[in-house]
Amino acid sequence: MKYNKNSLIFKIALLSISTLLMIAPAVSSALPLLYPAFSGVSKASVEGLVTLPNIGIIFGLILSPILIKFLGQKKTVLSGLVLALISGTFPMYASNFMMIAISRLLLGVGIGLFNSLAVSLIPQFYNDDEEETASMLGFQNVMGALGTALASFVLSWLVTINWHMAFGIYLLIIPVFILFALFIPNDKANKTITKKAAPKNREKINSKLVVIWTVFFILFIFYMPISYKLPLLVTSEKLGSMSQYAALTGITGLCGIPLGASFGMFFKKLHDKIFPLGFLITALGFLLFGFATNLVMIFAGNIVLGFGAALAIPYLYNWISWAAPHGSVNLATTIALVLINIACSISPYILNSLSGLLGNSTPRFAMFICAAAFILLTVYGLGHYLRVHRVNIKAKQQL
């Protein structure tokens, strides 16, 4: 079928798979119902049901390039959606803990199959328009938050029924499957994409990609503490209750959507200045957490932090599309996502080790460590901007 990449329905279909990238841990709100349901299982193992998909995602990311060679990009996405749908909803009618744990692992594999394509398909369709690519990547960055917010609202109703029904949130995969199947062309339907996405030459990496992957890895090690240290800060410092914090987080997530969607506009005006600016704003967000004395400051820190991440992260994905050798964007994105998942997994160990070495293990001090890390990233980002700026000046002088 013919398609129009500039049509609204095409863009919605292309971005729809990004709404599912963060949906795996959304069921964590149902944990209080799962503890009594599996009273013979340790609390840590029950909580592991939330984190198991992250391990599966890594396997899915590794399998994705192999499936793409045999099935093509569209069919790989659809295969991942089907696997995620079946495994994600399996606990709706199952009660065996081990089988549910396996289904959670497979959910991650399914998401991993289309995780990198959610990003790399964008520059493939819009490779002739740098600003449109930047705008779409900005929207892509917030779609995960939108999907998580939608899942949270649905989950708030499903948990009133029983814990089995809580896993019904993964039925949200069905409309995404329909949209992607109907409005995204097969690989062969677009000769430009076929040539660029599946070249005869082997996919390659270069030194620029190694730098980008390193920045991604460091970024997520020190960004993830907002998920496991910030709630502890709120409760241990008696800044508010967990229910208040949960409500605040939901509101913050919705506020972050227009911030992330504005990436394209900021990119048009600031270009490479966005890189150090995003890190600096993120550092300010962590500083607000470190000095917080009430929930208002926590809310302000969340908004500031979200804005900084909404600038820095899409820029890095955009940088991958510029830096990757011809036909290697998907490989480069896949490696970045594998490293991101690894960074998220080891983040607590790294941060706790640093806190121990520095002699202060309080969650408030952890916020200052994260702020310091992002200040260092800001310095690097400023150096990157100055290098790019000098190259551009030389290029203009040679014209």
Side-chain angles (χ1 to χ4, degrees):
M1 61 174 285
K2 293 183 178 180
Y3 74 95
N4 178 8
K5 68 178 184 180
N6 295 315
S7 67
L8 180 61
I9 189 64
F10 177 86
K11 292 180 178 180
I12 291 174
L14 184 60
L15 293 171
S16 65
I17 56 175
S18 296
T19 63
L20 305 175
L21 299 183
M22 302 295 292
I23 201 173
V27 77
S28 60
S29 298
L31 277 174
L33 297 177
L34 295 176
Y35 293 134
F38 300 107
S39 56
V41 180
S42 69
K43 185 177 180 181
S45 296
V46 175
E47 292 171 347
L49 293 176
V50 176
T51 58
L52 265 175
N54 287 90
I55 300 173
I57 286 173
I58 295 175
F59 287 111
L61 287 167
I62 295 170
L63 288 172
S64 181
I66 299 172
L67 281 184
I68 289 172
K69 290 181 180 179
F70 291 99
L71 301 178
Q73 295 178 325
K74 179 177 179 178
K75 290 181 179 178
T76 297
V77 171
L78 295 178
S79 298
L81 290 171
V82 170
L83 178 58
L85 175 63
I86 294 172
S87 56
T89 56
F90 178 77
M92 291 181 69
Y93 48 85
S95 298
N96 182 275
F97 181 82
M98 185 57 66
M99 294 301 294
I100 291 175
I102 293 172
S103 74
R104 295 292 291 169
L105 187 67
L106 291 175
L107 169 65
V109 174
I111 294 173
L113 290 179
F114 59 81
N115 199 316
S116 63
L117 288 167
V119 178
S120 63
L121 279 174
I122 292 173
Q124 289 179 35
F125 279 105
Y126 298 96
N127 58 5
D128 57 343
D129 189 337
E130 183 181 281
E131 292 186 352
E132 184 67 17
T133 299
S135 295
M136 288 292 287
L137 285 171
F139 282 112
Q140 188 278 330
N141 186 55
V142 300
M143 292 303 281
L146 180 62
T148 302
L150 178 60
S152 297
F153 289 131
V154 174
L155 185 66
S156 66
W157 169 66
L158 292 175
V159 293
T160 62
I161 304 174
N162 56 52
W163 71 265
H164 289 283
M165 289 303 297
F167 292 87
I169 60 172
Y170 299 108
L171 292 172
L172 293 171
I173 296 171
I174 293 176
V176 173
F177 179 91
I178 294 171
L179 280 170
F180 201 88
L182 291 180
F183 298 105
I184 301 301
N186 293 319
D187 298 25
K188 293 181 180 179
N190 183 4
K191 295 180 180 179
T192 301
I193 290 181
T194 303
K195 290 178 182 178
K196 290 190 177 294
K200 293 181 180 179
N201 297 327
R202 293 179 62 185
E203 292 183 295
K204 302 175 182 178
I205 63 174
N206 55 34
S207 58
K208 290 182 181 178
L209 289 176
V210 174
V211 172
I212 298 169
W213 297 331
T214 302
V215 173
F216 258 129
F217 188 73
I218 296 172
L219 187 158
F220 277 91
I221 283 177
F222 293 101
Y223 185 77
M224 276 306 291
I226 62 169
S227 66
Y228 59 86
K229 286 293 186 184
L230 191 56
L232 185 60
L233 171 65
V234 171
T235 54
S236 64
E237 299 285 337
K238 295 182 171 50
L239 305 181
S241 66
M242 275 309 301
S243 60
Q244 290 173 325
Y245 174 74
L248 188 102
T249 302
I251 296 170
T252 304
L254 293 176
C255 291
I257 292 172
L259 293 176
S262 63
F263 174 78
M265 178 189 71
F266 282 104
F267 180 79
K268 290 177 184 178
K269 295 183 177 181
L270 300 174
H271 291 280
D272 295 288
K273 297 186 187 75
I274 276 184
F275 194 40
L277 183 62
F279 288 141
L280 178 60
I281 294 173
T282 305
L284 292 175
F286 276 110
L287 285 174
L288 279 171
F289 293 148
F291 290 111
T293 56
N294 51 55
L295 274 180
V296 174
M297 291 185 70
I298 296 292
F299 176 74
N302 264 320
I303 294 293
V304 172
L305 193 78
F307 182 47
L311 294 179
I313 294 174
Y315 181 91
L316 283 168
Y317 281 123
N318 228 9
W319 192 7
I320 285 179
S321 68
W322 307 328
H326 182 69
S328 301
V329 173
N330 190 60
L331 173 65
T333 305
T334 298
I335 294 174
L337 291 170
V338 168
L339 289 172
I340 287 170
N341 278 279
I342 293 173
C344 292
S345 300
I346 68 173
S347 175
Y349 305 102
I350 298 293
L351 193 62
N352 288 332
S353 295
L354 285 173
S355 297
L357 286 173
L358 296 172
N360 191 330
S361 299
T362 64
R364 189 180 293 277
F365 187 70
M367 298 297 109
F368 289 123
I369 292 177
C370 294
F374 276 95
I375 289 172
L376 292 175
L377 285 173
T378 302
V379 173
Y380 169 77
L382 185 59
H384 167 78
Y385 163 71
L386 292 174
R387 286 193 301 273
V388 172
H389 187 60
R390 282 197 298 268
V391 170
N392 290 339
I393 290 176
K394 288 181 180 179
K396 289 179 181 179
Q397 290 174 345
Q398 292 174 354
L399 293 177

